[in-house]
């Protein structure tokens, strides 16, 4: 539990204010950190190092993968044991053994045995309050249990590795937070208080398995606005196309592969837009391959 929670005053510089003002008319837009950070390339490289040094693999990946595959390939067995299975949420050492003694399909058993988590994740939450003198007061809010306001399995509480102090208190990182908060504030209905949750995620290509940064498919995150993936690095990969849909989850209104430095800012209200990211694959099958991003969820607070 974090006891040393700090507060920062981050000025809204002219470039952030101008960029946010220009973007006010659209609820879907690509953004680039070169508009707010002078040495954005060095920042991208430095942030990407966090995955190697500090962040752990997401053990919830195993639950989500096994849940999806058993439901798909052996629905009768899945629904027979669904209640007991759901009670194992948060006990990663039990996921595989639970089904190995209940499933008979050899293909499914092999998938369960061979699967390994393929995403590294980190998380931290801030309260952002806009002052009248062009500052954002950014208050650390810790790394509480993460619960999304959605109606699928992602509504279950999760806790990821905490983004380390050396990263979450970095001046450029705080400047980036203020920029994202300002983009959110410059919507038609202005909210000066925003809870901003930062997610760091690296998706590795795992041979023989679908390496999708968002394996839940077309979804929403349960926030008011999001930056659904500010790309830090794309190493030896193709794919990873970001797509935004209307509320029907089918009609595409935006689709593009984001490059390092680019992010996708969009509304995330249930009756507006949904989104997805396509799978990534290796270019050179002999080399490591991954896609690293920072995502932001912005929730209006009273």
């Amino acid at each position: 539990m974090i006891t040393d929670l700090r507060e920062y005053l981050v000025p809204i510089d002219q470039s952030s204010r101008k960029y946010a003002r220009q973007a006010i008319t659209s609820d879907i837009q690509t953004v680039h950190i070169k508009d707010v950070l002078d040495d954005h390339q060095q920042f991208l490289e430095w942030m990407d190092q966090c995955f190697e040094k500090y962040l752990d693999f997401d053990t919830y990946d195993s639950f989500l993968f096994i849940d999806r595959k058993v439901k798909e390939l052996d629905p009768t067995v899945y629904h027979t044991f669904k209640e007991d299975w759901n009670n194992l949420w948060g006990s990663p050492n039990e996921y595989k053994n639970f089904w190995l003694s209940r499933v008979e399909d050899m293909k499914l058993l092999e998938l369960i045995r061979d699967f390994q988590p393929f995403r590294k994740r980190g998380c931290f939450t801030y309260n952002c309050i806009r002052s009248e003198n062009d500052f954002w007061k950014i208050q650390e809010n810790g790394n509480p249990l993460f619960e999304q306001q959605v109606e699928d399995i992602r509504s279950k509480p999760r806790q990821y590795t905490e983004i380390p102090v050396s990263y979450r208190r970095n001046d450029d990182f705080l400047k980036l937070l203020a920029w994202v908060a300002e983009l959110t504030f410059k919507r038609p209905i202005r909210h000066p208080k925003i809870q901003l949750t930062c997610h760091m995620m690296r998706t590795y290509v795992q041979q023989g398995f679908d390496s999708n940064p968002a394996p839940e498919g077309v979804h929403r995150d349960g926030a008011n606005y999001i930056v659904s993936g500010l790309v830090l690095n794309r190493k030896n990969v193709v794919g990873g196309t970001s797509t935004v849909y209307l509320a029907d989850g089918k009609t595409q209104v935006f689709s593009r592969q984001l490059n390092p430095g680019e992010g996708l800012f969009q509304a995330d209200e249930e009756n507006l837009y949904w989104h997805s990211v396509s799978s990534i694959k290796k270019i050179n099958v002999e080399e490591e391959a991954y896609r690293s991003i920072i995502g932001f969820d912005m929730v209006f607070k009273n």
Side-chain angles (χ1 to χ4, degrees), residues 229-244:
L230 194 160
V231 178
L232 298 173
N233 194 3
R234 293 174 55 91
K235 180 180 179 182
N236 187 35
V237 296
V238 293
T241 297
S242 298
T243 302
V244 182

Side-chain angles (χ1 to χ4, degrees), residues 147-180:
E147 299 180 72
Q148 291 176 283
Q149 301 303 308
V150 293
E151 296 181 359
D152 55 51
I153 202 167
R154 293 172 300 130
S155 64
K156 288 181 174 290
R158 290 165 283 170
Q159 190 156 40
Y160 299 115
T161 307
E162 178 187 307
I163 296 174
V165 168
S166 58
Y167 283 82
R168 69 173 188 261
R169 293 178 180 172
N170 171 267
D171 287 343
D172 280 344
F173 188 75
L174 292 171
K175 191 175 182 180
L176 182 65
L177 296 180
W179 179 58
V180 171

Side-chain angles (χ1 to χ4, degrees), residues 85-266:
W85 165 240
N86 284 332
N87 288 335
L88 286 182
W89 181 261
S91 302
N93 293 332
E94 304 297 325
Y95 295 160
K96 292 187 177 184
N97 289 335
F98 180 88
W99 290 113
L100 292 178
S101 61
R102 292 169 171 84
V103 167
E104 296 183 358
D105 183 283
M106 295 306 297
K107 178 183 176 181
L108 180 54
L109 285 171
E110 185 178 352
L111 287 172
I112 293 172
R113 288 194 190 100
D114 292 348
F115 181 81
Q116 297 296 328
F118 63 100
R119 297 184 295 178
K120 283 188 173 183
R121 300 186 70 156
C123 187
F124 204 78
T125 300
Y126 302 82
N127 295 322
C128 302
I129 303 170
R130 198 179 194 277
S131 68
E132 295 181 356
N133 57 347
D134 288 339
F135 279 84
W136 276 97
K137 182 188 293 184
I138 298 179
Q139 303 169 328
E140 293 183 338
N141 195 32
N143 185 28
L145 285 174
F146 178 62
E147 299 180 72
Q148 291 176 283
Q149 301 303 308
V150 293
E151 296 181 359
D152 55 51
I153 202 167
R154 293 172 300 130
S155 64
K156 288 181 174 290
R158 290 165 283 170
Q159 190 156 40
Y160 299 115
T161 307
E162 178 187 307
I163 296 174
V165 168
S166 58
Y167 283 82
R168 69 173 188 261
R169 293 178 180 172
N170 171 267
D171 287 343
D172 280 344
F173 188 75
L174 292 171
K175 191 175 182 180
L176 182 65
L177 296 180
W179 179 58
V180 171
E182 185 70 6
L183 283 171
T184 309
F185 174 74
K186 293 296 187 181
R187 301 300 101 191
I189 301 176
R190 300 189 173 195
H191 286 264
K193 295 182 180 180
I194 300 167
Q195 179 178 286
L196 195 158
T197 301
C198 173
H199 304 270
M200 297 183 66
M201 183 172 70
R202 175 185 282 181
T203 305
Y204 290 87
V205 177
Q206 189 179 123
Q207 291 300 101
F209 292 89
D210 182 27
S211 301
N212 193 309
E216 60 270 31
V218 179
H219 66 285
R220 54 183 293 271
D221 292 347
N224 295 108
Y225 284 88
I226 59 174
V227 175
S228 61
L230 194 160
V231 178
L232 298 173
N233 194 3
R234 293 174 55 91
K235 180 180 179 182
N236 187 35
V237 296
V238 293
T241 297
S242 298
T243 302
V244 182
Y245 308 82
L246 294 181
D248 62 8
K250 299 178 181 178
T251 306
Q252 295 186 13
V253 293
F254 177 94
S255 187
R256 187 160 78 78
Q257 177 185 294
L258 301 175
N259 296 312
E262 290 184 308
L264 180 58
F265 178 93
Q266 67 168 90

